[in-house]
Amino acid sequence: MVAFLRLALRRVAMMPVMILGIALLVFVVLQFSPADPAYNALGDSASPEARAAFAEENGLNDPLPVRYFAFLGDLVQGDLGVTVAPSQPVADRIANAFPLTLQLTLLGLTLAIVLALVLGVTSAVYRDRWPDQVFRVLSMIGIALPSFWLGVLLIQQFALNMPVFPTGGYVNPADSFSGWLESLALPAVALALPVASSLARLIRTSMVAELDRDYVRTARGSGLPSFMIIRSVLRNSLITPLTVLGVKVGYMLSGAVVIEAIFDLPGMGKLILEGVNGGDVGLVQGTVLTIAVAFLVVNVVVDLLYLLVNPRIRTV
């Protein structure tokens, strides 16, 4: 337990350093944006003198290091700036949009994990038989399907041809839980299937290797029930998929941005598109930084889960 806490604290202690690196990268990259904040804020009719005064007032003429440290100072206080038009705090816009993206990601992740476990375990238990062959083909097809293309197909089939689900839009779960599920069902499926297919192949490969170990043959020879053997094998087989899960969650967070645009969901994807189309560097900077930090937090959580599942690494 002491070793686990030591490693966990080491992972958590690295987070501020990594967040500073992410903030630096996002800030520097967006400084090369061709968008002129003064032009976007004041409009076409603003005079050159007014734009120059705006740039001076907002520190746009300061050297890059000065602007970066000013940005960090605001960031520590939770100030991500204001949007161009209408003028609203970026933090407030993100606070309204991020919960939807988080809901979509968690719903898609839950669905992906359930599907991956069912497909992976079934393929491993029935390896080289027809269920294994069928599920392996299905998983290969799922990996090859891009989420955005799959989303379009789902809309065409289940919202237009068979109007079971809405084509887009969002229903708050506080207003209607069933409406919320209907509004996020197709986006979650589009987000989950490629990830589930990839994880299922990993689980199947890990379980097949584990099923050939000596302790499994000994357990079978001792007459242990099959479900107990499969449970132990599955736990030992989850170490490899867990190392990939953090990356997959990051993929789902970024993929949710695209899926939200397809299904017209008012999440982080809509904010990024709004910022890009309107030349609002501050809005893009705040949303990208939030997603990157969320990705970092998820990876730290997955690392801690990996330490719990694999006790051998705690001695490292």
Side-chain angles (χ1 to χ4, degrees), residues 20-92:
L20 284 176
I22 291 172
L24 176 61
L25 179 63
V26 171
F27 178 81
V28 170
V29 168
L30 289 178
Q31 296 310 304
F32 294 98
S33 169
D36 183 1
Y39 175 86
N40 293 326
L42 301 177
D44 301 343
S45 59
S47 64
E49 292 77 11
R51 293 178 187 172
F54 178 89
E56 184 65 30
E57 180 181 351
N58 290 273
L60 300 179
N61 297 327
D62 294 338
L64 189 62
V66 175
R67 281 184 284 159
Y68 174 66
F69 284 109
F71 166 69
L72 283 183
D74 293 337
L75 186 62
V76 170
Q77 302 175 32
D79 183 6
L80 295 174
V82 295
T83 58
V84 171
S87 180
Q88 296 177 333
V90 173
D92 290 349

Side-chain angles (χ1 to χ4, degrees), residues 120-128 132 136 200-213 216-217 220 233-234 237:
V121 173
T122 304
S123 294
V125 172
Y126 295 96
R127 58 176 168 176
D128 298 329
D132 182 27
R136 287 169 69 181
R201 290 179 64 84
L202 284 174
I203 292 173
R204 190 255 180 203
T205 302
S206 298
M207 283 196 66
V208 166
E210 200 71 21
L211 285 168
D212 289 334
R213 294 186 179 274
V216 176
R217 287 190 286 268
R220 285 174 175 165
V233 168
L234 177 60
S237 302

